[in-house]
Amino acid sequence: MPRRRDLLNYDVLIPVIRKLAIEAGAKIMEIYNSDDFDVKVKSDDSPVTAADEAADAIISAGLRAAFPDVMLVTEEQAESHAAKGDTFLIVDPLDGTKEFIHRRGDFTVNIAYVENGVPQRGVVYAPAKERMFFTQADGQSVEEVGAFDLETVGETRAINVANSDNSALMVVASKSHRDQATDDYINKYNVKDSKSAGSSLKFCLVATGEADIYPRVGRTMEWDTAAGHAVLLGAGGQVVRFDDHTPLTYGKEDFANPFFIAYAPDVALKSA
């Protein structure tokens, strides 16, 4: 397959995905702060709201206009899940729908660009928490603080994973998917403390050094993880398969992920 770098210049890509994330986030918050919103159930029993659909419409239209030749995979458009390739844009317009429905702020907008199976660039925006993380064109991940102006990037700070102390690790795990298998694996480590977070924010907490390791023993899809994975890679972290510790790759059958571990490289990984 030909390399697509000639199609996607990162200097062009990053402002586009940042702007679309902010626009989608504003729409999500408009619905979040309304008195009521409908919750529907998809064929896989997962919930979907007007916010998921409105954010998806904004992001998809923007990406198709800017990058019409690049494959686009988005959670809310089932027909896109039949696409095949290892280089594509991938979107979860509202990750953490359950957090959204219960009016807990841990939901995110996720847009990523995968090249040759690796999430190279991405943005994770948590509008209710007013936190935004993205990879710059040069590959370094940053957290932006400020007004989140559509056209002008505010103050940013480079983020980097922790220099982990294996005798006192900070673990982050899922807020709504914590189970015995996860706890059994976490118990293999010397844990100082653990925290829970929703959605792709868990990757970002490892990327900023607020946590050392995030094990996921449960079902996820590539659109759930790609943007957070990109942010973590750009902060010096890694994401590997749970079973054999090889890198987690993208463009898999049905875009389904195996169990995985996201971590700072100083962590001495334990076997499954």
Side-chain angles (χ1 to χ4, degrees):
M1 187 171 181
R3 289 182 64 79
R4 298 284 192 92
R5 284 304 292 276
D6 56 332
L7 284 180
L8 256 188
N9 178 319
Y10 294 156
D11 289 307
V12 175
L13 172 71
I14 303 308
V16 170
I17 62 174
R18 177 190 167 276
K19 179 179 180 180
L20 289 172
I22 295 169
E23 288 178 336
K27 188 64 179 177
I28 288 167
M29 292 307 294
E30 185 184 307
I31 297 168
Y32 184 71
N33 291 323
S34 65
D35 291 337
D36 198 18
F37 48 80
D38 291 331
V39 179
K40 294 183 283 190
V41 177
K42 292 193 286 193
S43 59
D44 64 356
D45 288 336
S46 62
V48 63
T49 69
D52 297 78
E53 294 169 343
D56 184 69
I58 290 167
I59 295 167
S60 299
L63 291 177
R64 288 201 170 102
F67 311 111
D69 300 323
V70 180
M71 180 173 133
L72 174 62
V73 180
T74 169
E75 178 181 15
E76 301 309 330
Q77 296 175 36
E79 66 277 9
S80 74
H81 305 170
K84 303 282 188 215
D86 66 359
T87 298
F88 48 90
L89 290 154
I90 187 163
V91 175
D92 189 345
L94 176 51
D95 183 28
T97 302
K98 288 176 184 169
E99 306 290 330
F100 178 90
I101 292 166
H102 296 299
R103 286 192 158 90
R104 300 190 295 249
D106 280 19
F107 50 85
T108 53
V109 179
N110 298 268
I111 309 171
Y113 175 58
V114 172
E115 186 174 279
N116 299 320
V118 180
Q120 295 285 1
R121 299 291 183 272
V123 58
V124 175
Y125 178 38
K129 290 194 167 295
E130 298 185 336
R131 295 192 80 173
M132 181 191 288
F133 308 88
F134 63 91
T135 46
Q136 297 182 140
D138 65 4
Q140 172 67 48
S141 290
V142 295
E143 179 169 4
E144 180 177 343
V145 287
F148 304 124
D149 181 82
L150 283 176
E151 306 299 338
T152 308
V153 177
E155 180 189 340
T156 60
R157 64 179 185 89
I159 56 175
N160 294 286
V161 294
N163 296 318
S164 304
D165 175 357
N166 282 285
S167 67
L169 293 175
M170 176 66 80
V171 176
V172 63
S174 175
K175 190 167 276 186
S176 50
H177 300 282
R178 185 82 177 249
D179 60 11
Q180 191 59 48
T182 305
D183 288 337
D184 288 346
Y185 184 70
I186 290 170
N187 289 337
K188 296 184 176 194
Y189 294 87
N190 294 314
V191 177
K192 175 178 67 175
D193 201 1
S194 67
K195 57 177 75 175
S196 63
S199 71
S200 55
L201 282 171
K202 294 181 283 291
F203 289 98
C204 300
L205 294 177
V206 180
T208 60
E210 293 169 70
D212 298 291
I213 183 170
Y214 157 40
R216 182 56 182 256
V217 186
R219 176 180 168 82
T220 60
M221 305 300 286
E222 292 185 11
W223 47 78
D224 296 316
T225 60
H229 188 160
V231 168
L232 181 54
L233 288 178
Q238 296 172 19
V239 185
V240 296
R241 294 174 58 106
F242 188 78
D243 53 4
D244 62 8
H245 296 177
T246 58
L248 182 68
T249 59
Y250 289 73
K252 300 182 294 297
E253 187 71 28
D254 299 327
F255 301 98
N257 285 327
F259 302 164
F260 63 82
I261 309 163
Y263 66 104
D266 284 350
V267 174
L269 284 190
K270 307 292 187 183
S271 60

